[in-house]
Structure formats: structure tokens, C-alpha cells
Amino acid sequence: MKLFGSSLILAGTALGAGMLAIPMVLAQFGFFVSAGLMFVIFIGTTYATLLLAEACTKTQQSTSMSSTAYFTLGRKGMHFTNILFYLLLACLMIAYTIGIGDLLHSMLLEVGVDLSPVVGYTIFSLVMGLVVVAGKAYIDKLNRGLFILMIAMLFVVIFSLMNNIELANLSQESGFSVNDVVQYSAVIFTSFAAIIVIPSLVSYNQDASIAQIRNMVLLGCVIPLVCYLTWLFAVIGNLGVEAVSKFENISQLIAAFDGETDLLKSVVAIFSALALITSYLGVSMALYDQNKDAISKNPLIAYALTFILPLVLATLFANQFISMLDYAGMVLVFLAIWGPLAMAVKVRKPDFPQVGREQTYTVGGGQAALVATFMFGALIFVSWFMG
């Protein structure tokens, strides 16, 4: 259950952004082109995630990206990784905080309570911070319950929407070029890359076998792919490409189900909120571990840096949900593709001191897979400049 819970933390970290951003970003390409793009990005991100897991098993005391980088890439590599890590986590925490505030505002309006998004996400962030500070066992149990509830909500939504699926909607396209597909690859890439939690999870499961670590990563990466494809199928099949392509935020996506029952609209809203919360938990866990590892062991200082500083930034960057995910995509190329690639190359050298576990994990694929991973990162990096 501990390993299964870790897979759900990995999957939940990815799902929050993707579930809400993917329909709005990919609808213009139609279901089939979008599914192909998602599968390619899934392969690339999963392999890079396994590379980082390999590096974590071959280094000592790798509890965060900072310490893993230090033991593999040295002090300069650690500083570079830390800068990228904080840029990434700032973008993700801002995006999730904005999304949660927007959802809380719209959900409470339905019951006659007018709570501003700022007040909503401030209360949420401070309370969830207490759970993260309490420890990974508490995060695991809370995330496990929220994730199972989220999947149950997803099945209710899918089952309800299946009655109104129009197959003609799935093959619709709004007119796009190859450049458009490449341009939005960064946002989709961000929706799959939950790699930031790997050092924390490998440390949490330090007694697990190498096969169990590998399977934990694989399951945590497959779950988002299945959920994304199912969700995209239901949304495009019901609403059509043209309607979904016009959405600019989460509230508009939920409002599009006005023609359905009030119960379904409420379920979609709750499902969206749970997707954001599970992502928020994973990202804040990784950031809290990073702050304790790289800046201060003092829980109060780490808490303030992890939860209070992003609140200030979220207020400054309101209404920038998709933009924050886009910015995160470029940073992630270095941190989640080229970073693990460099670490794996380092730990595979004959002179690297194997000071980690009794068993160490080496990802298959050899040199060809490493070259392909580098090229995959280059594709995502280039896509960011095509906006």
C-alpha cells in the first residue's frame, strides 16, 4: 500500500494541471491527433522519470533534487538544478493556487457564498501546509483518499457523458499546422512531468526492491495517460472541438455543462478541485523537502518559503493559469529531461562511487535511448519559442 500510495502521489502530481488544461489546449487538434501527441510525450517523460529514479538509487541520502544533483553533478550542478527547481515550483504553485482559488469561488457562489478567490486560496494553502509539514505518511494517506475519490468522480462524469457522445465530434479539427502541434507540446509535457516528487518517493520507499521502485514509477506514469485520454474523449465527444477551443479558464469548462444535470455539473467541479489538490500536495511536498534540504532545517522557515511566498506571487500573477504551465514547460526540459539524463550518464561511469543501496537500478535502452531522450528534450524546448 505504501508503494501504491507513492504511485498515486506521482500520478496525482501530474493530473491536476493536465485534467484542466488539456481539453482547453488540445481540443483544436481533435481527439486522434491529441492522443498521438500525448502518447509520444508520455513515452519521453516516463523514460526520463526512470532515469532520475536510477540516479536516486545510486546516490546516498538523495531526499530532494538538490541532494541528488549534488551527489551526481557536483556543487555547480546542484546550484543550477536548484535555480531551475525553484523557477519550476514557483510556476506550478502559482498555477495551482490560482486554479484552486477560481474553483472555490465558483463552487461557493453556487451555494450563495461570495468568497473571493484570494481569500479562498489563502485559507486552503495555509491549511494544506500543515499536512505537508506533518510528514509524508500523512500526505500519502490524504492523497490516497483524495485520489480514489477523484477517480470515482471521473467515472461518474464519464459514465454520464457517454450517453451524449457524438462520434463526429472526435474527428473534428479547427484547422492547425505542425507548428501549432509543436507549440503546445510544452503545456502537455508539463501535464505529464511529475518527476519532481521522485527523490522524495524513492527516499520514502527506501526499503523497497529495485523492481518495486520501477513498477511504482511506471504505474504512476500510466495512470495520468489513461485518465487524460478518457477525459479528452468525453469532453470533446460531448461539446465539440469549436466550443472547447474557446475556453480560457476552468470555470468556463465547468459552465459548459450547464445543459446537463445540476448533479453532473457539481461532480465535474468537485473532480476538477480534487485534481488540483492532489497536484498541489505533490508539488508542495517536493518544494518543502527542497527548502529543508537546501535552505533551512527549521520547519517554520521552510513552511513560509513553501506556502506563504507562492501566495504573494499568485496574487501578482492572477488569471495566468495556462501561461504559468507554459513557462513551467520550458524550465522542466532542463530539470525533468536533460537533468536526469546528465545524472544517469554520470552514475553509469565506471569510476562513480556506488554508495547507495545494496541493489541499484539501471534503466534499459542503452546509448540509443539516452540520445532519443536528449532529442525529445530539444523538441519540447524548441516548442516553447514557437508561441
Side-chain angles (χ1 to χ4, degrees):
M1 288 304 294
K2 190 175 177 182
L3 282 158
F4 178 64
S6 297
S7 290
L8 296 187
I9 290 176
L10 180 61
T13 303
L15 277 171
M19 278 298 188
L20 307 176
I22 276 180
M24 294 184 277
V25 171
L26 285 185
Q28 60 186 306
F29 306 133
F31 176 75
F32 298 106
V33 172
S34 298
L37 178 61
M38 275 198 283
F39 187 74
V40 170
I41 292 176
F42 158 76
I43 295 294
T45 53
T46 299
Y47 192 80
T49 304
L50 289 171
L51 288 177
L52 181 57
E54 173 183 339
C56 290
T57 65
K58 292 179 177 177
T59 54
Q60 62 179 356
Q61 301 172 349
S62 294
T63 57
S64 70
M65 289 293 286
S66 179
S67 55
T68 307
Y70 175 73
F71 288 120
T72 55
L73 304 177
R75 189 168 297 277
K76 290 182 179 179
M78 178 190 72
H79 291 321
F80 185 62
T81 299
N82 285 346
I83 291 170
L84 294 175
F85 190 89
Y86 282 116
L87 285 173
L88 168 67
L89 268 294
C91 291
L92 290 179
M93 288 288 280
I94 292 167
Y96 297 153
T97 302
I98 291 170
I100 288 167
D102 184 35
L103 271 175
L104 282 174
H105 177 68
S106 60
M107 290 172 70
L108 290 174
L109 276 180
E110 293 291 323
V111 294
V113 178
D114 188 4
L115 184 72
S116 75
V118 175
V119 174
Y121 66 58
T122 298
I123 295 172
F124 170 83
S125 298
L126 297 179
V127 171
M128 294 304 286
L130 299 178
V131 177
V132 173
V133 172
K136 292 185 183 66
Y138 293 96
I139 300 171
D140 181 10
K141 291 173 184 175
L142 176 60
N143 183 80
R144 204 181 301 172
L146 293 175
F147 195 95
I148 292 171
L149 179 60
M150 180 179 69
I151 296 300
M153 293 288 179
L154 176 61
F155 277 114
V156 171
V157 173
I158 300 300
F159 182 77
S160 302
L161 295 181
M162 284 302 174
N163 295 326
N164 299 320
I165 293 288
E166 294 184 21
L167 295 180
N169 287 344
L170 299 174
S171 58
Q172 288 178 352
E173 297 170 359
S174 62
F176 63 91
S177 65
V178 174
N179 284 351
D180 293 328
V181 176
V182 174
Q183 176 187 337
Y184 286 102
S185 295
V187 175
I188 310 309
F189 169 63
T190 308
S191 303
F192 276 100
I195 197 168
I196 51 174
V197 299
I198 289 298
S200 298
L201 295 181
V202 171
S203 172
Y204 180 49
N205 294 284
Q206 56 186 324
D207 297 326
S209 70
I210 296 306
Q212 288 175 324
I213 293 292
R214 179 200 62 210
N215 294 339
M216 178 265 289
V217 171
L218 291 175
L219 178 61
C221 291
V222 167
I223 291 173
L225 176 67
V226 174
C227 291
Y228 290 156
L229 289 173
T230 308
W231 178 232
L232 193 65
F233 178 86
V235 171
I236 293 181
N238 266 265
L239 303 176
V241 166
E242 185 177 350
V244 182
S245 298
K246 294 178 180 178
F247 297 150
E248 295 179 356
N249 56 48
I250 302 162
S251 298
Q252 291 176 3
L253 176 61
I254 295 172
F257 293 99
D258 268 339
E260 307 290 341
T261 64
D262 288 338
L263 175 62
L264 178 59
K265 187 179 176 185
S266 298
V267 170
V268 172
I270 295 170
F271 161 72
S272 301
L274 290 172
L276 274 176
I277 293 170
T278 55
S279 278
Y280 185 92
L281 269 175
V283 170
S284 58
M285 175 190 72
L287 181 57
Y288 182 73
D289 282 350
Q290 177 80 358
N291 283 326
K292 285 188 69 177
D293 193 26
I295 297 178
S296 174
K297 299 289 185 185
N298 187 313
L300 288 177
I301 295 175
Y303 177 88
L305 291 172
T306 306
F307 300 99
I308 297 177
L309 183 58
L311 287 176
V312 177
L313 295 174
T315 305
L316 297 175
F317 294 99
N319 302 318
Q320 297 294 316
F321 181 71
I322 297 295
S323 297
M324 285 296 120
L325 294 180
D326 194 18
Y327 296 140
M330 187 184 73
V331 178
L332 260 174
V333 172
F334 290 95
L335 195 66
I337 300 294
W338 290 337
L341 181 60
M343 293 176 190
V345 169
K346 182 70 174 180
V347 299
R348 291 182 187 184
K349 289 184 176 180
D351 60 344
F352 184 79
Q354 301 292 328
V355 290
R357 302 157 171 259
E358 292 181 7
Q359 300 181 69
T360 56
Y361 172 53
T362 300
V363 191
Q367 194 68 26
L370 296 181
V371 172
T373 301
F374 178 83
M375 297 305 296
F376 171 72
L379 172 67
I380 302 298
F381 185 70
V382 169
S383 73
W384 195 83
F385 294 97
M386 300 179 69

